[in-house]
Amino acid sequence: MNPQPRAVDAEIIDELQQLVVEVSAGEVVPNPADTGPDSIRRLGLNSVTTLSFMVAVEDSFGIEWDDDVSSEVLAGFAAMAAYVRTQSRATV
Amino acid sequence: MGAPADPVPAVGGIAELLAAAARTWAGRPAVSDHRVTVPYDELWSQVRECADWIRGAGLPAPLILVPSNTAHDVVAIFAAIVAGACPLIADRTWTATELDHVRRSTGAGAVLGRAEVQPPGVTPVVPTWRGLAIGSWDDDPGRPAADLDGIAFGRFSSGTTGGSRCLGFTQTAAVAAAAAWRSAARLSVQDTVLCLATLNNGLAFNTSLLAVLGAGARLVLHAGRPIPSSIARVVRTVRPTVLVAFPFAFDALTKDDRLERGALRLAVSSAAALPEPTQLRWTERTGLGICDYYGLVETGPVTFNDGSVPGSVGYPLPGSEVVIDADPTRPGRVLVRTPSMAARYLDGRPPALADSVTTEGFYRTGDLGFIDRHGHLTLSGRVGTVVNVAGRKIDPAEVSAVIRSVPGVRDVLVRGERPPTGEILAAYVEGSGVTREAVVRACRLGLADYKLPQRIVIRPVLPRSASGKVAAARLAEISEPAPSEPATRGAR
């Protein structure tokens, strides 16, 4: 039986937050409990760090961002985790 | 039908150049984005149609133009110039606060851009044209419009004293800049130029607009993000011969398996120093060097480097001169004279542009550099405080002013720092009860994303010198999280 989306997303969120720490060279450490809408936006990543984060997500999860991915997906960890889960399935 | 290979002559203004290009290359593709391809004759036709639409709005010049990266935005830039509306070409990532600062300093009363991204407080004055809208602000700040005599358009520098500064240019300057770049880059009808930079930025404006269209080449604008997966998709589709991008894109591409040289013959990056390993990897993968573009808003494009001299920004473009204000072989301030210089600042703030120009007409840049015996210029640092983060220049004073507005902040020092990963913006904040979240919130409201400091250190007291100033040299001592505040630097 496949794990429930919520459990999968929690693991993805954890990895996403680790990636933020890595791409910001430890300057930005997300709060594990803050995963809702705008939780990424509130971190204050600049445009270059945001792009580095997107590249790191692609590399870590083996996905490709759609060119028209919504700003909501990029703004919050939970929304991004759900997107990553869906894209991962699509590329399997 | 074979198209003439010769570029259109660099005489007259922008309308003459576009009209000549339409006659010469009629049905050939001029500008493409992810939705449409506009041929040369249609481009000129749309520019005239759009110019009529802008004139029909009946608004006084100047207006703020906020371009996205689409073919219709290219049309809008040229149309606003042709219509005499004096577009001040702004950054689409600017916040409403930054746009408000611009209109108050220049007297601009209207904004032109995609209908869906009109700033708050702006009401459309005419029906939209191909997705573009013109709106005027609901209130009048009362500042008279800048002196626009002879000025065709405005572009923005980062400024050095808090906030962007708007520079006015003549059409002659724009046409001269395009001709110089076209000649140095040897652009021709055979070329397809893929531009990942935004149209307001000098990298795009000077290398990828009139320079491309005056050569009969095809300009492809990229609407996606400049990350390898997205770039690889568009490179496979359009097979560019020239790639124009910021250093981040080159760095990311060289680490990616999907990088293909394809038809590429020239790679142009901005003058943010590319790490040597990135340059080496790029050359290894593609057989090409990276052409480091050196240009300033105040002067237009200055040099051209075909990528064969690593670390250098190359030799002066035709008509441009570069000198060092001391021994040219040792690092000194770079002085520049070009045919594409700005005429003046349009914001009425001191200092005037003329204050930075020598009696011989050389602009005193904020860059340090030296010239080798072959005439190649190498940049070695900066005179002032402006920070260059991945090709985008940021004035620390502007960021400091925003952070000072946060309740509880007593003092702040913003500066560039150079960890191994490349230059970053760091903010050292002195205050009580100040959180990182509050600082980020204020920055997000007042500053474009690229200006957000990535190192934010908040302390009750910052180290100070005997004179009471923040001791910049001692800030490294406090940049690590304090033992009692494990997450001060982070966001917890």
Side-chain angles (χ1 to χ4, degrees):
Chain A
M1 189 176 129
N2 289 331
Q4 292 299 305
R6 187 173 289 184
V8 174
D9 286 0
E11 285 178 25
I12 296 174
I13 287 171
D14 187 50
E15 193 164 345
L16 291 173
Q17 294 192 328
Q18 282 303 318
L19 290 176
V20 168
V21 176
E22 285 170 27
V23 298
S24 69
E27 298 295 342
V28 182
V29 183
N31 179 349
D34 188 8
T35 63
D38 274 352
S39 52
I40 297 174
R41 200 173 147 72
R42 276 194 290 274
L43 298 175
L45 305 181
N46 68 14
S47 40
V48 173
T49 311
T50 299
L51 291 174
S52 298
F53 178 47
M54 293 179 75
V55 174
V57 171
E58 286 193 341
D59 292 345
S60 292
F61 295 98
I63 65 157
E64 284 194 6
W65 294 102
D66 291 325
D67 280 339
D68 56 357
V69 61
S70 77
S71 54
E72 285 77 18
V73 164
L74 299 175
F77 283 111
M80 187 177 284
Y83 177 90
V84 166
R85 171 168 44 80
T86 311
Q87 292 292 102
S88 301
R89 277 189 196 148
T91 55
V92 167
Chain B
M1 190 180 84
D6 291 338
V8 296
V11 294
I14 289 169
E16 287 80 3
L17 187 152
L18 294 174
R23 284 193 302 273
T24 311
W25 295 298
R28 292 180 66 87
V31 186
S32 304
D33 60 27
H34 59 302
R35 287 201 178 91
V36 298
T37 291
V38 183
Y40 273 89
D41 49 2
E42 178 67 13
L43 177 70
W44 176 227
S45 168
Q46 286 189 18
V47 166
R48 285 177 294 164
E49 190 183 313
C50 184
D52 287 343
W53 171 69
I54 292 169
R55 287 191 199 98
L59 295 165
L63 60 76
I64 297 173
L65 196 158
V66 188
S68 298
N69 265 30
T70 74
H72 289 146
D73 291 288
V74 173
V75 169
I77 290 173
F78 295 138
I81 293 172
V82 168
C86 192
L88 312 179
I89 304 168
D91 187 326
R92 65 178 161 160
T93 68
W94 282 351
T95 63
T97 307
E98 289 167 302
L99 283 176
D100 193 57
H101 163 79
V102 168
R103 66 135 177 168
R104 287 175 190 281
S105 62
T106 60
V111 61
L112 166 58
R114 308 299 307 167
E116 64 275 18
V117 290
Q118 289 275 294
V122 165
T123 305
V125 292
V126 284
T128 58
W129 182 87
R130 296 180 189 253
L132 295 168
I134 302 177
S136 66
W137 269 277
D138 301 333
D139 63 322
D140 177 6
R143 189 184 188 286
D147 171 14
L148 301 179
D149 188 26
I151 302 296
F153 64 96
R155 294 189 52 236
F156 293 88
S157 74
S158 60
T160 55
T161 52
S164 298
R165 298 207 63 184
C166 187
L167 288 134
F169 293 84
T170 62
Q171 293 201 34
T172 308
V175 173
W181 184 263
R182 189 177 70 209
S183 162
R186 288 186 276 177
L187 295 174
S188 76
V189 288
Q190 308 299 329
D191 281 311
T192 294
V193 178
L194 172 60
C195 179
L196 306 185
T198 50
L199 293 173
N200 65 292
N201 191 278
L203 183 60
F205 194 86
N206 291 320
T207 70
S208 304
L209 281 176
L210 285 177
V212 173
L213 300 174
R218 176 189 179 197
L219 169 62
V220 179
L221 299 167
H222 181 51
R225 290 177 176 79
I227 57 177
S229 56
S230 183
I231 299 169
R233 283 195 290 270
V234 70
V235 165
R236 274 197 302 271
T237 312
V238 305
R239 291 185 57 77
T241 58
V242 180
L243 174 63
V244 176
F246 279 110
F248 174 85
F250 287 105
D251 193 44
L253 276 173
T254 56
K255 295 172 184 163
D256 193 276
D257 295 339
R258 289 162 290 201
L259 172 60
E260 290 174 17
R261 173 172 173 177
L264 210 57
R265 69 168 182 85
L266 181 66
V268 183
S269 178
S270 70
L274 271 166
E276 201 180 333
T278 299
Q279 301 219 22
L280 291 174
R281 276 200 309 270
W282 175 265
T283 303
E284 219 174 83
R285 299 277 302 275
T286 65
L288 295 171
I290 294 180
C291 169
D292 246 345
Y293 165 85
Y294 179 51
L296 304 157
V297 179
E298 292 83 355
T299 65
V302 178
T303 65
F304 180 80
N305 172 20
D306 62 6
S308 62
V309 186
S312 165
V313 291
Y315 50 83
L317 288 165
S320 295
E321 295 167 84
V322 178
V323 297
I324 308 297
D325 71 351
D327 176 355
T329 61
R330 304 182 64 155
R333 189 191 285 262
V334 178
L335 308 184
V336 170
R337 184 163 66 186
T338 74
S340 50
M341 305 251 290
R344 58 183 170 275
Y345 286 115
L346 300 182
D347 53 20
R349 282 162 52 193
L353 183 62
D355 295 345
S356 302
V357 178
T358 68
T359 49
E360 293 82 24
F362 283 86
Y363 175 72
R364 293 168 58 80
T365 75
D367 295 308
L368 294 172
F370 60 92
I371 300 172
D372 69 17
R373 60 196 175 92
H374 302 294
H376 295 113
L377 172 67
T378 296
L379 300 177
S380 56
R382 287 195 59 83
V383 179
T385 57
V386 169
V387 182
N388 189 335
V389 176
R392 307 293 297 269
K393 288 179 182 163
I394 303 165
D395 173 15
E398 181 186 13
V399 180
S400 294
V402 170
I403 296 176
R404 273 179 213 283
S405 70
V406 176
V409 170
R410 287 190 299 275
D411 204 354
V412 59
L413 187 145
V414 175
R415 67 179 184 181
E417 294 187 354
R418 286 187 168 275
T421 46
E423 188 157 22
I424 62 166
L425 197 66
Y428 293 87
V429 183
E430 181 179 284
S432 313
V434 181
T435 63
R436 178 191 164 96
E437 196 172 32
V439 172
V440 168
R441 196 182 311 123
C443 289
R444 278 222 171 273
L445 275 173
L447 300 166
D449 281 358
Y450 68 90
K451 300 176 186 172
L452 300 179
Q454 292 302 267
R455 174 173 292 167
I456 300 174
V457 179
I458 303 167
R459 291 287 181 270
V461 178
L462 293 178
R464 290 180 183 277
S465 64
S467 65
K469 286 186 177 173
V470 175
R474 291 173 52 205
L475 289 174
E477 297 168 16
I478 63 161
S479 64
E480 291 303 317
S484 58
E485 300 171 71
T488 301
R489 193 194 282 177
R492 288 168 205 252

